[in-house]
Amino acid sequence: LIATALTYASFGLEYFPEAFTTTYDGNTVTFDTVLSCFWFVFYNYSARGNLKSVLAKAEPKSADWLPRLFFDTVFFIWVGIILFTTITALLVDALGKARVDQAKRDYEIRNVCFICGMKRTDYDDYGLKRGAPSYDDHCNKDHDPWVYISYVAYLNAKPHNKYSGIETFVKSQMDKGETWVPSKTSVALEAEGKTGPEKSSKPNSDVSSKDHNESGSSSSDHDPSSSSSNNSLKQEVKEMREMIKSNSNNSSLKQEVKEMREMIQSNSNLKEDIKEIRDLIKSNST
């Protein structure tokens, strides 16, 4: 706008100085400088491109009739049509984009939890039991942002040597810049097994139990008390083996071994006990 007004003021003062006049309180005022012409053109932008309405009229048979026709027409096309239409379009587009952004923000405020990021539709799809918190209660009570802000202020004001275990963890996460707030879960959802570690660990409970037992047996191999019991077991197995070898020709011992075998075969529970003992001896044979 400023460049256009300055260009037309300079061009008009150069070729049409007699046209840049106006009447004020019955007196004719003439603009003799580029700056005064600039303010005159800039002030009359409100005419929306119709510059000839504020300039002195040119007579049809005068020498400057065609140049004034070209000057006024170009000003009308450039300022009245192109420039003002472009400005109007930009304003309308900016206002439309602002309305869309505001509608998007309003939607997220109403339908996305500020703390955990849970959407309203996802929360409703879980189908919680009667009496469970609604989505609005989830956002405004369970995950009230002001409660979390108060908790952060409380941790910052509390001496570090008086922190509990949870407070120490949360403070360390805050200091490292890592998240500590819940992510798409809540107490109500975890209580019904919809989200949380309990839900993800249930399918793997057998594997976890097996891993736990294996880790327990592995750790017991390195336990000093377990090592001493293994040594005594090895000694007992060795003595039993030597006793059987030394009495291999003893008929009474053979009879006892035979009776013991038949008793084991006839008793399924005893078979299982013997199997466990055998597995235990094998696991400790080394």
Side-chain angles (χ1 to χ4, degrees), residues 42 51 62 74 98 100 119 138 173 177 186 203 272 281:
F42 191 82
L51 189 61
S62 62
V74 171
V100 171
K119 294 182 179 179
H138 167 81
Q173 293 293 100
S186 67
E272 189 66 26
I281 293 173

Side-chain angles (χ1 to χ4, degrees), residues 21-39:
T21 59
T22 186
T23 302
Y24 181 74
D25 287 341
N27 299 321
T28 300
V29 180
T30 303
F31 302 98
D32 299 327
T33 63
V34 175
L35 183 60
S36 61
C37 288
F38 164 78
W39 287 118

Side-chain angles (χ1 to χ4, degrees), residues 54-184:
V54 295
L55 296 179
K57 294 183 179 180
E59 297 297 332
K61 296 182 179 180
S62 62
D64 60 349
W65 165 251
L66 290 178
R68 274 291 307 276
L69 178 64
F70 178 78
F71 180 79
D72 294 345
T73 302
V74 171
F75 187 87
F76 172 74
I77 294 174
W78 170 246
V79 177
I81 297 178
I82 298 177
L83 197 60
F84 277 103
T85 302
T86 303
I87 294 175
T88 303
L90 291 174
L91 290 174
V92 171
D93 183 68
L95 293 175
K97 186 176 183 299
R99 285 196 298 270
V100 171
D101 293 341
Q102 183 63 40
K104 184 178 179 181
R105 285 193 295 269
D106 292 341
Y107 175 83
E108 291 186 353
I109 290 174
R110 293 192 305 269
N111 298 285
V112 180
C113 179
F114 181 80
I115 297 299
C116 71
M118 174 76 71
K119 294 182 179 179
R120 182 185 294 271
T121 54
D122 295 339
Y123 189 87
D124 293 339
D125 288 342
Y126 281 118
L128 298 179
K129 297 179 181 178
R130 183 184 298 274
S134 64
Y135 183 77
D136 292 331
D137 292 337
H138 167 81
C139 295
N140 299 325
K141 294 181 180 179
D142 293 349
H143 287 173
D144 185 359
W146 290 109
V147 174
Y148 284 82
I149 293 174
S150 301
Y151 186 67
V152 171
Y154 163 77
L155 290 181
N156 291 332
K158 186 175 181 179
H160 291 190
N161 57 355
K162 294 185 179 180
Y163 281 167
S164 64
I166 295 178
E167 292 171 349
T168 302
F169 168 76
V170 172
K171 182 61 176 177
S172 65
Q173 293 293 100
M174 291 168 52
D175 294 339
K176 291 186 292 186
E178 298 180 359
T179 182
W180 54 274
V181 298
S183 177
K184 297 183 178 180

